């Protein structure tokens, strides 16, 4: 590990000041940063420990939930109001990592977690995300875990988060504070597509610290599910996952989708919300046929590579499954 | 930096580098070698300890983050005799090569303390972050379930 300076921020303002310095990194739960520093994938010169800031609170307000940036994944997943008002988020969190990691990992850290692309994590290979314009060994490499949506000729690394998929589907907004003050960023704008600059992953300026996430809890959120398909029954990153929510109207015989929410994980270079699929579902009956059509639409632009063509059909089936479970209700 | 840790009930004052891993502080500074290093990157759970009552991987905890906190390691689960869970591991054959065993027992104890019903699925999920290279999972799950029956 390289040398660095260490400071523990006593206030958000102090953290922002430290974080705005060159080559600074915020440390919260440490489950990503400490790991990547040991691999020397990340070599910050200045560590700003934000873990003792008073940002742990989870608040259930009328109309939505406020998740403090330092609330742990376990705390959010087990919160009774999260389970009741946004079950897909609780399910997404519980499907991620292991108990040990969920106890340490935070909301803010999960938003900022880096890809698990094996080439990004291996200094012996080329990676445009790690070293801009150096090349990408994934493009012609082993691509089983890589993205089929949102890639570029520079990068096809999949976004690893489960939590962010659920938050993307339900219009979450991220509150950040930086040297210029506070602002809100829609979760779907928070992560950037790789395009020609895969090293730029977040819509954040230097020093900006995640304070909290607000997620509106609508009727579709209350009727939401998260389905994750992976190589093992537990403790693995998604091959494909889907957060889905439905607001239905009408009686049991003639139900109609008033509003749909869909986002996919494991297939995109960022959490993959599809407004197009949601619009296609609105006004339709909640049947397998409607779900399949929306899934075909969402995956129409998929660009699979040598080892991950299976993800196209798997994503469609996973989406149909998540929507079916959502339609069935809790 | 200078910091205090409550290790297995007693307060220890240490002069350490802030980002030294809690795992290394336990093993090298405090000679508590019951906690094992497996992968060193949060995958295997051999280094699991309780930090303020929460199960964590000590290879991913910077020691500065544990300052002032209470840490319980495998050595701290019992002061003398084996715990019911440790006895179950002996009786049910829950240990083979032994490297994963301390982490398995800390995670298993955490599960037993949660009071959750010891179904196959619940026990397997509770130890999902603990890998056994001998793949002795069946006996490990049986050991935890045996201890649940003995103690509840």
């Amino acid at each position: 590990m390289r040398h660095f300076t260490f400071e523990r921020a006593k206030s958000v303002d102090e953290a922002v000041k430290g974080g705005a310095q060159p080559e600074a990194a915020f440390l919260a739960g440490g489950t990503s940063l400490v790991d990547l520093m040991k691999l020397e994938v990340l070599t910050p010169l200045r560590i700003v420990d934000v873990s003792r800031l008073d940002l742990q609170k989870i608040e259930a307000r009328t109309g939505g939930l406020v998740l403090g940036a330092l609330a742990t994944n376990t705390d959010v997943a087990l919160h009774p109001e999260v389970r009741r008002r946004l079950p897909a988020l609780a399910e997404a969190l519980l499907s991620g990592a292991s108990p040990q990691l969920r106890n340490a990992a935070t909301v803010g850290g999960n938003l900022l977690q880096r890809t698990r692309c094996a080439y990004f994590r291996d200094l012996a290979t080329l990676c445009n995300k790690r070293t801009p314009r150096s090349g990408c060994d994934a493009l012609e490499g082993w691509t089983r875990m890589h993205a089929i949506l949102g890639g570029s000729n520079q990068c096809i690394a999949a976004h690893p988060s489960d939590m962010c998929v659920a938050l993307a589907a339900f219009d979450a907004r991220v509150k950040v504070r930086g040297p210029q003050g506070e602002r809100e960023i829609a979760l779907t704008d928070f992560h950037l597509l790789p395009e020609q600059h895969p090293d730029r992953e977040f819509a954040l300026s230097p020093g900006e610290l995640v304070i909290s996430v607000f997620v509106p809890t609508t009727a579709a959120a209350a009727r939401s599910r998260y389905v994750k398909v992976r190589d093992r029954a537990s403790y693995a990153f998604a091959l494909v996952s889907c957060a889905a929510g439905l607001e239905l109207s009408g009686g049991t015989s003639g139900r109609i989708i008033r509003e749909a929410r869909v986002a996919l994980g494991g297939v995109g270079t960022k959490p993959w919300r599809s407004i197009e699929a949601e619009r296609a579902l609105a006004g339709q009956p909640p049947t397998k046929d409607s779900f399949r059509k929306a899934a075909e639409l969402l995956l129409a632009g998929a660009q699979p590579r040598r080892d991950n063509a299976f993800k196209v059909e798997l994503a469609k089936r996973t989406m149909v499954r998540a929507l079916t479970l959502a339609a069935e209700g809790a | 930096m200078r910091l205090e840790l409550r290790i297995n009930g007693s307060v220890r004052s240490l002069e350490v580098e802030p980002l030294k891993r809690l795992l290394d502080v336990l093993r090298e500074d405090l000679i508590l070698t019951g906690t094992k290093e497996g992968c060193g990157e949060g995958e295997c759970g051999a280094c699991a300890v309780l930090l303020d009552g929460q199960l964590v991987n000590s290879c991913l905890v910077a020691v500065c983050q544990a300052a002032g906190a209470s840490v319980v390691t495998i050595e701290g689960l019992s002061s003398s005799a084996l715990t019911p869970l440790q006895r179950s591991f002996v009786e049910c054959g829950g240990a083979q090569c032994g490297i994963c065993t301390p982490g398995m027992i800390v995670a298993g104890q955490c599960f037993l303390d949660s009071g959750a019903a010891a179904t196959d699925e619940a026990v397997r999920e509770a130890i999902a972050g603990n890998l056994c290279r001998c793949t002795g999972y069946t006996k490990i799950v049986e050991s935890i379930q045996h201890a649940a029956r003995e103690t509840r």
Side-chain angles (χ1 to χ4, degrees):
Chain A
M1 214 187 271
R2 305 281 171 83
H3 286 277
F4 53 84
T5 63
F6 175 84
E7 63 206 79
R8 170 168 291 155
K10 289 185 190 67
S11 66
V12 169
D13 288 341
E14 209 178 288
V16 166
K17 217 170 146 190
Q21 303 301 314
E23 303 206 43
F26 292 124
L27 172 68
T31 54
S32 267
L33 183 65
V34 175
D35 187 25
L36 291 171
M37 283 177 70
K38 283 189 303 190
L39 295 171
E40 295 190 357
V41 170
L42 297 179
T43 52
L45 294 176
R46 186 179 180 128
I47 299 291
V48 181
D49 179 7
V50 297
S51 63
R52 305 296 172 97
L53 299 179
D54 184 22
L55 300 171
Q56 287 86 1
K57 214 158 61 177
I58 301 167
E59 275 179 85
R61 292 188 190 157
T62 317
L65 301 161
V66 183
L67 315 173
L70 291 173
T72 67
N73 287 0
T74 302
D75 288 344
V76 177
L78 300 183
H79 196 283
E81 286 301 301
V82 175
R83 299 179 84 121
R84 190 171 71 83
R85 288 158 68 171
L86 187 51
L89 177 60
E91 289 180 325
L93 284 163
L94 289 177
S95 76
S98 68
Q100 289 92 313
L101 294 169
R102 292 195 293 270
N103 286 340
T106 63
V107 167
N110 194 319
L111 286 175
L112 295 166
Q113 74 175 298
R114 311 297 295 275
T115 180
R116 304 302 292 197
C117 171
Y119 301 97
F120 171 72
R121 293 170 62 83
D122 182 355
L123 295 185
T125 66
L126 298 178
C127 173
N128 288 320
K129 209 180 252 312
R130 205 176 56 234
T131 313
R133 283 170 290 283
S134 64
C136 169
D137 275 342
L139 291 171
E140 300 304 325
W142 187 72
T143 51
R144 187 164 185 275
M145 301 304 290
H146 286 77
I148 55 172
L149 292 164
S152 72
N153 62 359
Q154 301 288 309
C155 180
I156 52 167
H159 194 271
S161 172
D162 292 296
M163 180 192 85
C164 292
V165 176
L167 292 177
F170 295 96
D171 299 295
R173 302 194 298 270
V174 184
K175 187 198 274 187
V176 301
R177 195 185 300 171
Q180 318 305 328
E182 238 168 51
R183 65 181 180 122
E184 273 200 336
I185 308 168
L187 193 116
T188 45
D189 297 330
F190 188 85
H191 301 98
L192 307 179
L193 289 172
E195 299 177 328
Q196 295 308 301
H197 296 282
D199 53 308
R200 293 185 207 153
E201 297 185 357
F202 310 105
L204 290 174
S205 307
E208 280 189 318
L209 177 72
V210 176
I211 302 296
S212 62
V213 175
F214 176 79
V215 52
T217 46
T218 56
R223 188 185 270 275
S224 69
R225 295 298 298 269
Y226 189 77
V227 174
K228 178 173 176 179
V229 181
R230 44 192 155 169
D231 283 329
R232 295 188 293 265
S234 185
Y235 195 24
F237 287 92
L239 293 168
V240 173
S241 69
C242 178
L246 291 172
E247 183 187 352
L248 303 173
S249 64
T252 43
S253 55
R255 294 194 305 176
I256 291 293
I257 299 169
R258 283 177 69 124
E259 191 174 82
R261 287 281 182 270
V262 177
L264 297 183
V267 291
T269 50
K270 59 183 265 184
W272 205 261
R273 166 103 182 253
S274 176
I275 303 277
E276 202 185 10
E278 292 172 7
R279 286 204 185 119
L281 286 163
Q284 301 297 312
T287 59
K288 286 226 156 65
D289 194 41
S290 324
F291 299 157
R292 180 76 197 189
K293 276 184 190 145
E296 298 282 356
L297 194 63
L298 197 165
L299 274 305
Q303 292 183 302
R305 303 193 79 84
R306 194 187 63 198
D307 307 311
N308 62 10
F310 73 96
K311 282 191 177 183
V312 179
E313 179 60 24
L314 188 61
K316 291 176 189 172
R317 294 185 190 188
T318 306
M319 183 169 149
V320 171
R321 176 84 183 135
L323 284 162
T324 305
L325 289 171
E328 285 167 4
Chain B
M1 71 186 277
R2 184 131 213 114
L3 54 80
E4 281 190 351
L5 294 175
R6 178 176 285 273
I7 303 279
N8 297 331
S10 51
V11 176
R12 301 288 297 266
S13 180
L14 298 163
E15 181 66 40
V16 287
E17 285 182 35
L19 244 70
K20 190 164 184 179
R21 304 179 302 174
L22 177 59
L23 170 64
D24 297 326
V25 173
L26 293 172
R27 289 183 56 87
E28 293 166 7
D29 298 61
L30 299 165
I31 321 294
L32 291 168
T33 53
T35 303
K36 304 301 181 199
E37 174 163 16
C39 67
E41 50 188 59
E43 294 280 337
C44 79
C47 66
V49 299
L50 299 179
L51 182 64
D52 283 336
Q54 297 269 303
L55 186 69
V56 298
N57 289 325
S58 61
C59 74
L60 292 181
V61 175
V63 69
C64 62
Q65 298 198 289
S70 156
V71 178
V72 177
T73 67
I74 182 74
E75 291 91 344
L77 291 181
S78 157
S79 53
S80 54
L82 296 180
T83 65
L85 180 60
Q86 287 170 321
R87 276 204 310 278
S88 292
F89 266 72
V90 174
E91 286 168 25
C92 302
Q96 290 188 45
C97 85
I99 285 285
C100 77
T101 310
M104 285 288 183
I105 287 177
V106 173
Q109 191 62 51
C110 200
F111 172 75
L112 292 176
D113 293 344
S114 77
T119 60
D120 265 20
E121 200 188 343
V123 172
R124 284 179 183 273
E125 190 56 47
I127 58 166
N130 296 78
L131 306 186
C132 168
R133 283 292 300 270
C134 311
T135 67
Y137 294 107
T138 302
K139 299 287 185 193
I140 292 167
V141 171
E142 278 174 24
S143 302
I144 296 170
Q145 290 175 323
H146 181 265
R149 286 193 299 274
E150 296 281 300
T151 55
R152 289 176 180 173

